[in-house]
């Protein structure tokens, strides 16, 4: 089977968020998929299998299968176009645990169509703000994550979370965000998911299903530019369209290999 490494939400290698993409010949055992993901030790390994009306797509962290992942979906679409499995004009159709997701080429950008995942205001669990070492302007939650707004970009960039304590909170992850002070961006964020086997995810497309409607309402516009301020960093173009979020990013293929185990 063919295995690819793609850096998503970046226009250059060794930045953005790396994802492994495996093209399956047949249905695979989930335990085997989890073992490969653990071996790859990336935030996500994606598995694609052709079906009559598109592609089956599943995502695994090094420790668990997840229901939604943005950067590995972007990486999967990039692989399909780069290998000729899809023509440049074709829409990538992915059947997932979060329903049908699509991706389209927009020049050298790839635009994902994901469901909105708005947060509702929530009480912060006792360990959350202590683990982040931050004061919150807002705490919200959806079925995946907590969303925490803090006072400034400097506060977001300066976070040094207690990951052991954060791991005790039973959610997929925590987005921490603020208005951006860097020119060219509307908001900035970081994403922590130690409970899912990832202390800090470099660029998290799915987290922007919550961040986009949150900031669209606060800033009064539906088109936004965002930066995820991990060590690798990543750029996202976002558009709120009713109950969908259009998440656009670029991608670079780093290597192709043959998986023989």
């Amino acid at each position: 089977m063919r295995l690819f490494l793609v850096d998503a939400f970046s226009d250059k290698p060794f930045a953005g968020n790396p994802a492994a993409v495996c093209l399956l010949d047949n249905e695979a055992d989930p335990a085997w998929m989890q073992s490969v993901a653990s071996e790859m030790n990336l935030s996500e390994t994606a598995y694609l299998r052709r079906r009559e009306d598109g592609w089956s797509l599943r995502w695994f962290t090094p420790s668990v299968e997840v229901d939604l992942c943005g950067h590995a979906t972007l990486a999967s679409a990039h692989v399909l176009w780069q290998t000729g499995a899809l023509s440049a004009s074709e829409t990538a159709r992915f059947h997932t645990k979060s329903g049908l997701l699509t991706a389209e080429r927009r020049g050298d950008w790839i635009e994902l169509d994901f469901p909105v995942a708005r947060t509702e205001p929530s009480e912060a669990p006792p360990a959350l703000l202590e683990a982040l070492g931050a004061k919150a302007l807002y705490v919200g939650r959806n079925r995946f994550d907590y969303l925490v707004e803090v006072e400034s970009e400097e506060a977001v960039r300066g976070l040094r979370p207690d990951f052991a304590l954060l791991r005790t909170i039973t959610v997929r992850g925590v987005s921490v965000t603020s208005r951006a002070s860097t020119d060219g961006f509307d908001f900035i964020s970081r994403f922590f998911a130690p409970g899912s086997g990832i202390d800090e995810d470099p660029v998290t497309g799915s987290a922007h299903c919550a961040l986009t409607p949150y900031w669209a309402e606060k800033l009064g516009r539906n088109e936004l530019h965002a930066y995820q301020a991990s060590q690798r960093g990543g750029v996202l173009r976002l558009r709120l369209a009713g109950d969908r979020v259009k998440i656009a990013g670029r991608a670079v293929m780093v290597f192709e290999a043959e998986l023989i185990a």
Side-chain angles (χ1 to χ4, degrees):
M1 287 169 286
R2 299 168 76 186
L3 183 69
F4 303 84
L5 181 67
V6 176
D7 287 338
F9 295 112
S10 176
D11 60 352
K12 59 185 179 181
F14 316 122
N17 200 352
V21 179
C22 181
L23 295 181
L24 295 173
D25 298 327
N26 299 292
E27 189 75 45
D29 176 29
W32 175 86
M33 290 191 280
Q34 186 63 73
S35 294
V36 174
S38 298
E39 185 83 0
M40 294 304 297
N41 199 32
L42 298 168
S43 57
E44 305 289 344
T45 297
Y47 296 90
L48 285 170
R49 181 174 54 83
R50 190 187 292 273
R51 50 182 283 178
E52 185 175 334
D53 54 348
W55 299 81
S56 170
L57 174 60
R58 296 173 71 171
W59 311 278
F60 288 76
T61 77
S63 57
V64 296
E65 183 175 7
V66 296
D67 291 342
L68 188 65
C69 177
H71 84 280
T73 304
L74 190 148
S76 296
H78 183 71
V79 165
L80 294 179
W81 286 313
Q82 289 294 109
T83 60
L86 289 178
S87 70
S89 61
E90 284 186 279
T91 297
R93 294 170 52 85
F94 300 114
H95 298 271
T96 78
K97 288 191 172 184
S98 290
L100 177 65
L101 308 176
T102 63
E104 296 185 350
R105 294 186 71 167
R106 305 291 189 200
D108 62 348
W109 291 70
I110 296 170
E111 185 178 79
L112 308 176
D113 183 333
F114 271 34
V116 162
R118 288 182 173 86
T119 60
E120 295 294 333
S122 171
E123 288 289 328
L128 178 60
L129 299 183
E130 180 184 352
L132 293 174
K135 294 182 179 179
L137 302 179
Y138 168 86
V139 177
R141 184 176 179 177
N142 59 24
R143 70 187 183 97
F144 296 118
D145 309 311
Y146 279 102
L147 188 156
V148 179
E149 183 188 355
V150 297
E151 60 184 359
S152 67
E153 179 173 321
E154 290 71 24
V156 173
R157 289 182 180 273
L159 290 173
R160 300 293 182 269
D162 180 337
F163 292 118
L165 185 57
L166 207 55
R167 196 170 291 115
T168 66
I169 300 170
T170 56
V171 290
R172 182 189 69 158
V174 179
S175 285
V176 184
T177 186
S178 75
R179 292 183 188 233
S181 55
T182 300
D183 289 343
F185 297 106
D186 297 299
F187 68 89
I188 190 171
S189 68
R190 291 172 68 188
F191 186 82
F192 308 107
S196 299
I198 310 155
D199 283 350
E200 179 167 5
D201 193 38
V203 194
T204 316
S206 61
H208 289 77
C209 294
L211 289 163
T212 301
Y214 180 76
W215 284 108
E217 182 176 348
K218 286 185 70 90
L219 299 177
R221 58 182 184 276
N222 289 340
E223 295 190 7
L224 303 163
H225 284 187
Y227 184 74
Q228 192 157 329
S230 64
Q231 184 176 358
R232 292 172 65 100
V235 176
L236 306 94
R237 292 179 181 173
L238 306 161
R239 179 163 56 92
L240 183 63
D243 63 352
R244 309 296 291 183
V245 178
K246 308 291 187 174
I247 304 170
R250 289 175 284 190
V252 180
M253 191 178 294
V254 177
F255 71 67
E256 176 183 352
E258 182 182 0
L259 184 61
I260 60 175

